[in-house]
Amino acid sequence: MKVTVVSRSGREVIKGGIELKDSATVSDLQDAIHARTKKYYPSRQRLTLPLPPRTQGKPVVLNPKKRLTEYCDGDANNLTVVLKDLGMQVSYSTLFFWEYLGPLIIFPIFYYFPVYEFLGYEGERVIHPVQTYAMYYWCFHYFKRIMETFFVHRFSHATSPLSNVFRNCAYYWTFGAYIAYYVNHPLYTPVGDLQMKIGFGFGLICQVLNFYCHLLLRNLRSTDGSGGYQIPQGFLFNIVTCANYTTEIYQWLGFNIATQTVAGYVFLVVAALIMTNWALAKHRRLKKIFDGKEGRPKYPRRWVILPPFF
Ligand SMILES: NC(=O)c1ccc[n+]([C@@H]2O[C@H](COP(=O)([O-])OP(=O)(O)OC[C@H]3O[C@@H](n4cnc5c(N)ncnc54)[C@H](OP(=O)(O)O)[C@@H]3O)[C@@H](O)[C@H]2O)c1
């Protein structure tokens, strides 16, 4: 069969098209495009069917595992596909590794090195126990996230645009430095002993629960990340769709109860808003997939992220 590859403006990307076997899959087509263009490796390509003229809406995205003939309408020997360049890609684990590495390094720099002397502070710096515990708590959190990235999560998307590395690093590294600056500051005023213990104790319990949530999510997929989206079950997932975000938010609350800085609370609010936005989208997606029609299970009634509010 002959496949014509065009850009979104309708320009032919590969002159003369590509000849493939009738049994070829979308993945074979992606390899062929890569072989001809050199630049567009498969994860950089987004292949869709052209929209009929003067129609609005989302085009059909080609599934790499499906055969090309499944997308032929009428003429099984000719197919036209639209290629969108998604730009340079990195794996999800690379993206997560770099965004978490920054805070993991930045916080100890403020704790161990004479940063404040360098910034002009002249008095002697006395380190309070809460600052030491905060440093361990913080490092444990980001080390856990890196370990989960490599050994727990089963991502469904192989890659993410390279630009996301810069955007996400800007977010995590800046907030990391902002919080580390205030928590480790020589003029930092510690909270009472009981408040510190309650905060760190509660936060640590939430971190362990967050890890457990990630194990439950992991078990929804097979080892190669296939299996799509399933109804999360067990433990907190029986009452809330994004229990992993719930425990993440509460563990930051624990850290803030113990350390009590404006910077920490600002981060908590921003992170909670971001996760709420994602949780709403995930909740909607699960309700759409599990609509209770044609034999599909119906998504049970659940809170989205922060019971008993929403
Ligand atoms: N502090 C912050 O600002 C902040 C922000 C975001 C996240 N986090 C932390 O980082 C962790 C990971 O974040 P994330 O956004 O990657 O979490 P996520 O998307 O909710 O889930 C983690 C993994 O589980 C998979 N998964 C989720 N729901 C699933 C379902 N219904 N069926 C099958 N698999 C499913 C995801 O698959 P996909 O690959 O398909 O997505 C992903 O691989 C969070 O739980 C949280 O602890 C912190």
Side-chain angles (χ1 to χ4, degrees):
M1 69 184 304
K2 184 181 167 192
V3 183
T4 307
V5 184
V6 295
S7 67
R8 284 189 298 164
S9 61
R11 181 181 54 84
E12 200 175 11
V13 180
I14 295 170
K15 294 275 171 281
I18 297 176
E19 284 293 340
L20 288 166
K21 286 186 198 151
D22 289 349
S23 58
T25 61
V26 174
S27 176
D28 294 330
L29 171 62
Q30 289 181 315
D31 290 338
I33 293 174
H34 182 209
R36 290 282 293 272
T37 60
K38 305 288 181 239
K39 181 177 169 189
Y40 304 127
Y41 43 87
S43 60
R44 237 185 123 143
Q45 303 171 23
R46 181 174 184 264
L47 297 177
T48 54
L49 292 181
L51 279 175
R54 286 181 295 284
T55 45
Q56 299 276 319
K58 287 187 181 168
V60 174
V61 180
L62 274 56
N63 179 342
K65 289 184 188 146
K66 287 194 174 177
R67 285 183 177 215
L68 288 168
T69 44
E70 291 183 47
Y71 295 103
C72 293
D73 196 12
D75 184 358
N77 292 320
N78 287 294
L79 176 68
T80 299
V81 298
V82 180
L83 168 68
K84 182 183 174 202
D85 176 18
L86 296 175
M88 283 174 75
Q89 302 286 304
V90 292
S91 73
Y92 260 84
S93 30
T94 306
L95 169 72
F96 281 11
F97 172 74
W98 284 108
E99 65 186 42
Y100 299 154
L101 185 68
L104 183 61
I105 292 174
I106 289 168
F107 206 97
I109 288 177
F110 278 87
Y111 179 86
Y112 284 112
F113 292 93
V115 176
Y116 299 94
E117 248 175 65
F118 180 75
L119 294 174
Y121 180 80
E122 283 168 4
E124 196 198 340
R125 181 173 167 231
V126 179
I127 297 178
H128 303 283
V130 63
Q131 293 173 305
T132 305
Y133 296 137
M135 197 266 298
Y136 289 134
Y137 182 101
W138 180 279
C139 291
F140 171 71
H141 176 75
Y142 281 102
F143 179 73
K144 165 183 164 292
R145 285 224 216 163
I146 291 177
M147 290 297 112
E148 287 174 341
T149 297
F150 288 111
F151 303 113
V152 178
H153 295 318
R154 288 175 175 163
F155 302 110
S156 58
H157 307 287
T159 61
S160 160
L162 177 67
S163 55
N164 285 352
V165 176
F166 299 103
R167 186 198 61 189
N168 293 13
C169 285
Y171 169 75
Y172 277 105
W173 296 34
T174 310
F175 263 119
Y178 178 45
I179 298 168
Y181 175 84
Y182 284 104
V183 172
N184 293 293
H185 200 281
L187 299 178
Y188 171 80
T189 312
V191 297
D193 202 46
L194 181 65
Q195 183 174 337
M196 177 187 79
K197 285 178 181 156
I198 291 173
F200 283 137
F202 174 70
L204 273 178
I205 291 169
C206 293
Q207 288 214 51
V208 173
L209 298 182
N210 177 262
F211 175 67
Y212 182 55
C213 289
H214 289 152
L215 290 181
L216 292 174
L217 286 177
R218 168 194 169 85
N219 293 335
L220 297 176
R221 295 230 169 99
S222 51
T223 35
D224 60 356
S226 63
Y229 291 97
Q230 307 297 330
I231 299 178
Q233 311 267 6
F235 182 54
L236 281 175
F237 283 113
N238 290 338
I239 54 164
V240 54
T241 296
C242 289
N244 53 326
Y245 292 163
T246 315
T247 47
E248 173 78 20
I249 291 171
Y250 282 133
Q251 73 79 23
W252 279 124
L253 180 66
F255 176 85
N256 282 318
I257 290 171
T259 53
Q260 200 154 287
T261 62
V262 171
Y265 277 107
V266 170
F267 179 60
L268 172 64
V269 171
V270 174
L273 286 175
I274 292 173
M275 283 185 266
T276 301
N277 206 12
W278 294 352
L280 286 167
K282 284 166 198 275
H283 190 78
R284 268 196 303 270
R285 178 173 60 200
L286 288 171
K287 277 176 78 173
K288 195 172 163 195
I289 298 173
F290 301 104
D291 55 7
K293 293 176 188 159
E294 295 166 13
R296 289 182 291 269
K298 186 155 175 60
Y299 193 66
R301 217 177 130 74
R302 280 178 189 172
W303 300 102
V304 177
I305 182 168
L306 277 183
F309 306 109
F310 52 93

